[in-house]
Amino acid sequence: KGPLTMVEPAATARALARPEIKGGALAAQVLRAEAGAEETRLIAAFGGAGSGAARRVGAAEAAFGADDRSAEALIELPVQLRNTLERLQIEGARHAGAVALLDDRFQRRRVALVSGEQERRGLPLLSGLHYLRAALAPHAAAREASLRAAVGLPEEAVGAAAFGGGPTQAAAPLAGWADAIVLSDVGRIDPETETALTEWVREGGLLVRFAGPKLAALAIEREREIGRRRGVDAAPDPLLPVRLRGGGRALGGALSWSEPQALAPFAEESPFAGLATPPEVTVTRQVLAQPSAASTAVVWARLRDGTPLVTAREEGEGRVVLFHLTANAAWSSLPLSGLFVEMMGRMVAEAPALAGAFGDVSRAPDPAADATEDAARASPPAEPPAQAALVEEAAQPSDETAPLSAASAGLWRPARLLDGYGALQPADPAAAPIPGDRLAEAARNGARPGIAPGIYERREAQSGAEAGGDAARIAVNALGPEARLVAFEPPAGATRLTLSEREEVPLKPVLLASALILLLLDVLAALFIAGRLRPARGVAAMVIAGIAAAALTGAPSALRAQERAASEDEILIDPAARRAALESVVGYIVTGDARVDRVSRAGLSGLQQVLTERTALEPGAPAPVDLETDEIAVYAVLYWPITESQPSLSDAAVRRLNAFMRSGGLLVVDSRDAHQTFRGGEGPNAGHMRRLLSQLDLPPIAPIDRDHVLTRTFYIIDDAPGRWRGGVVWAAVGSGPADAADDGLDRLAGDVNDGVSPIVIGSVDWAGAWAVDARGQPMFPIGRGGERRREMARRFGVNLLMYAYTGNYKSDQVHIDALLERLDN
C-alpha cells in the first residue's frame, strides 16, 4: 500500500562465523554478502580479564579477494593469553554478528616436556623430545622444562653460579602451568622432586612416561633390590602404573627367533579406541610389565601377541600412563607414524583440565525437562538491530571436535547474553534453563529460537556459586561455522537509496605548522625591532638552536647507554669458574680426606704435564670441586675418588651431577681398592661407591673391552692400568663399537654426546699412578710392572681426556678390518 523506499548503507555488514582451531591458532572466518572489491578487516582478540574488563590482547587481518565472500584471519597467541580469551570481534563493527564468543573448548592444553636423555647436539631426529613436540603441536602447547620446575620447585640455572649468578637467575618454577607432564626416559628421581611430583599427580595431574635405557636399568636395579630382600615385595612406585621386569624385551635381530611385533586393534575401553593401527608400525624393543602387576593397571594398547604396550593407573585424582617404548624411533616406528600424533592428541584429552571442561553433564535429565524446554521455546529471542544482510545457514551442521557430546543431558542457564550491539550483558536470573542437547546443537551451529547468543553455564553438582564450584561454560554465537551472508533484495518497484558520507579533511597538521611558523616569525620580528638581531645572525642562531635541541633530545639515551655498558662491565664472574672454562681445567671432587684430596691434585697435575708435553691439549692446573657449593657446568671432566667416610650426596648435588652428565660432562669414578680384592671380587670401597652412585640417574653400564674407543683415542693400549693391577673398567652401554654390549637395551651413548660415555668407573687408583711431587718425580711406587705400567697408566690418562674433549671420532677404526675386506671384495 503505497511506495516503498529502502535506505541502505554503502556496504552490507561484515560478520564472524564461529571460530575453529587450526594448527594451534584460532581461525576466524569473516563473511560478507557481496563480492567485487578487495578489502581487509582487522579481527581483535579480547581476553586476560581476570576480575576486570577484558582487554585487547592480539589481532590479525582477514584479506578479501575481489571475488571472495569470506576471508580467514589466523590469530596466534601465547598459550597463557590464549586460555584467557573471551571473544573475537571485527574492529569497528557494533552488532552481535561481529562478535564470536569463546569458551573452554578453545583453550589449548599445556604440556611440560622433561627429558632424561643426554643432549643430542646437532642430532634432533635422535631425541625423543623432537617427536613429542611434533606430535603435540596440533593439540597442545608443549614446553621443555626441568622436572623440578614443572612441579613448582625452584632450581638454579646451569652455569648461573659460575658467572655471578644467584637466586635471581634461578629457573622459574612452573607450578600450575602444566596440565600434563611427559617424561622421556627419566629414570631415578631425587626424593624431593619425587614427592612433589607424586602430590601433583594425586591432586589431578596427568603424568605420561616413555621408557628407555635408564628406565629399563632402574627396573633391573629394583628387581635386584627385591631379590636381596629374599622375596619381600617392594612398595609400588606411585609414578609407574605397573612394576617392570628388568632387562626389557628385544624382538627381531640376528640372535633372536622372534619378529618385530605390530600393534593390536585398540579395545573399546581404551582412549585410543577407533584409531586405525597401520601394519607398518612395529615394535622391536620394549620394557615388560610383571604379569602379576599388569592385572592391576588398565591396558590401553597391546602388541599382536597380547603384550601390554601402553598401561595406565589412577593415582589419587590424577593418572599415570606409561608407554613401554621410547619416544624416539630407537625401539619402534610408532613415533614416525601419524598414529603417534593421534594417540598424543587423545592423551592430551585425558588431561583433567579438558576432561572436566563441561562439568558432570552425563546425569539423567530433570523429570520436568520437557516442560522447561517448552517454556524455553515459547520465550521470545533477542532482536538484533536491522542489517542489510541475512544469514543463510548451511543445510548440514558442522562437525565439532570439542567434547560437546557430553552436553547431551542436564540443564544450562544463561550467564551473559549478547545484546544487539555486540556487548555482553548479565542475563536475567529468572531466565528459563536450556536442555543440554538443544544447547549443544546451538553451540555447534549458531543461535536458535529461544537460545540467544551468549555464555551459558552449568556448575558442578552439589557445589553452585555459593559453594565455590567451578562453572563449565558453553558459548553460543550468532553464526555457526557454515553460515553464509546474502544481500537482501527488496520487492520489485522499491526505491533504493544509499547513505553517503563526506570525507573529512584533516587540518591539524596544517594548523600546527602554520602556528609554529607564525611563532618563529614573531620572535624574529620582536628581536629585530629591539635592535638585538641582524637578519643573517638570526637565521644562524635559529639553526644552532635547532641542532642543540636535537642533541639535547638524544643526550639522555646516550647517557643511559653508557650507564648500561658500565653496569655490564661490573658483573662479577667467579675467577675459578672462568679459569676452568677458558683453560680446560680438570676438576677433582673434594672428599674431606686431606690425603686423598692431595693425591687427586698431584695425580691430575702429573697428567697435565704429560698432556702438555705430548699432545696439543694444554689443560690448566687441576681445581678442587665442592659439589654442594661450586659450579660444575664449566668442567668437561670430574675425577671422583671414593672413600669410606664420604657422606651421601644432597639432593642439590645429585641434580648438579645429573645435569653435568646429561650436558656432555665425563664423571670418572675411582674406588682405589683393586689391591684389596680377592679373585675379581669387590673391594671395601665398592659398597660405598654403590651407595653414592645409586642416587644418580645413570645409564646402563657394562665393562669395556680391548675394542672400546678408550683404548685407541690417542694411544693404542690393551687395558686401563693404574697404581694397582686388576679391576674392571665400566662405561655406558653403547659407548664402544657398534656390535658390542647389545643386551636388549638401547645403545645409549652411541648416538649422543658424540659417543662419549657420561661415566667411567674403575678401582685401580689412577691418580696415584699419575701423581708427581713438586720436582716432577712420581710420588708413589707402582708395584709389579714398575715404570712400564706407570707409562701405560699415563697413556690411559691421555686417552681418557682425549676421549672427553674430542669425542668418539675414532670409533670407526674399530671396523677398519671389515671395511678393508669389503673394499677388497
Side-chain angles (χ1 to χ4, degrees), residues 552-577:
L552 289 175
T553 303
S557 61
L559 182 60
R560 285 192 296 270
Q562 293 176 359
E563 291 176 352
R564 269 197 311 272
S567 62
E568 291 173 357
D569 291 339
E570 292 174 0
I571 294 178
L572 298 178
I573 300 178
D574 183 6

Side-chain angles (χ1 to χ4, degrees), residues 409-487:
L411 299 176
W412 296 70
R413 293 186 179 276
R416 291 183 296 168
L417 298 177
L418 279 178
D419 63 14
Y421 297 97
L424 279 171
Q425 304 292 344
D428 184 357
I434 308 296
D437 54 350
R438 294 190 62 233
L439 184 65
E441 180 184 358
R444 291 190 184 99
N445 303 305
R448 290 291 185 272
I451 305 180
I455 299 294
Y456 293 78
E457 291 185 353
R458 178 183 175 186
R459 299 189 176 273
E460 297 286 350
Q462 299 179 355
S463 60
E466 296 79 10
D470 293 330
R473 302 183 307 149
I474 291 183
V476 175
N477 287 296
L479 304 181
E482 303 297 329
R484 295 293 179 265
L485 298 183
V486 294

Side-chain angles (χ1 to χ4, degrees), residues 329-379:
W331 289 11
S332 168
S333 59
L334 176 63
L336 301 175
S337 67
L339 175 62
F340 189 62
V341 179
E342 295 177 318
M343 291 175 71
M344 294 309 296
R346 298 283 183 93
M347 287 298 309
V348 171
E350 293 297 316
L354 186 60
F358 295 98
D360 181 13
V361 293
S362 59
R363 66 175 177 84
D366 190 272
D370 294 336
T372 305
E373 183 175 350
D374 294 339
R377 288 175 177 171
S379 60

Side-chain angles (χ1 to χ4, degrees), residues 467-601:
D470 293 330
R473 302 183 307 149
I474 291 183
V476 175
N477 287 296
L479 304 181
E482 303 297 329
R484 295 293 179 265
L485 298 183
V486 294
F488 176 76
E489 293 294 336
T495 302
R496 303 180 66 173
L497 300 179
T498 302
L499 293 174
S500 61
E501 296 181 358
R502 291 186 178 182
E503 294 186 1
E504 297 179 352
V505 178
L507 299 178
K508 180 179 180 179
V510 177
L511 294 177
L512 287 178
S514 302
L516 180 61
I517 293 173
L518 291 175
L519 176 63
L520 293 176
L521 291 176
D522 182 71
V523 171
L524 290 176
L527 294 175
F528 181 76
I529 292 174
R532 298 181 180 180
L533 184 67
R534 296 179 181 179
R537 187 179 299 174
V539 174
M542 293 187 64
V543 171
I544 294 173
I547 295 174
L552 289 175
T553 303
S557 61
L559 182 60
R560 285 192 296 270
Q562 293 176 359
E563 291 176 352
R564 269 197 311 272
S567 62
E568 291 173 357
D569 291 339
E570 292 174 0
I571 294 178
L572 298 178
I573 300 178
D574 183 6
R578 180 171 184 172
R579 184 179 71 86
L582 298 179
E583 300 181 11
S584 302
V585 172
V586 179
Y588 61 91
I589 296 177
V590 176
T591 65
D593 188 322
R595 179 182 177 280
V596 174
D597 295 341
R598 185 169 62 252
V599 173
S600 298
R601 183 177 185 85

Side-chain angles (χ1 to χ4, degrees), residues 150-167:
V151 296
L153 296 177
E155 181 179 29
E156 292 184 0
V158 175
F163 298 98

Side-chain angles (χ1 to χ4, degrees), residues 11-37:
T12 56
R14 303 311 185 241
L16 276 180
R18 183 177 62 80
E20 297 177 332
I21 298 177
K22 291 185 178 180
L26 277 175
Q29 291 289 335
V30 187
L31 309 176
R32 67 179 182 179
E34 72 286 333

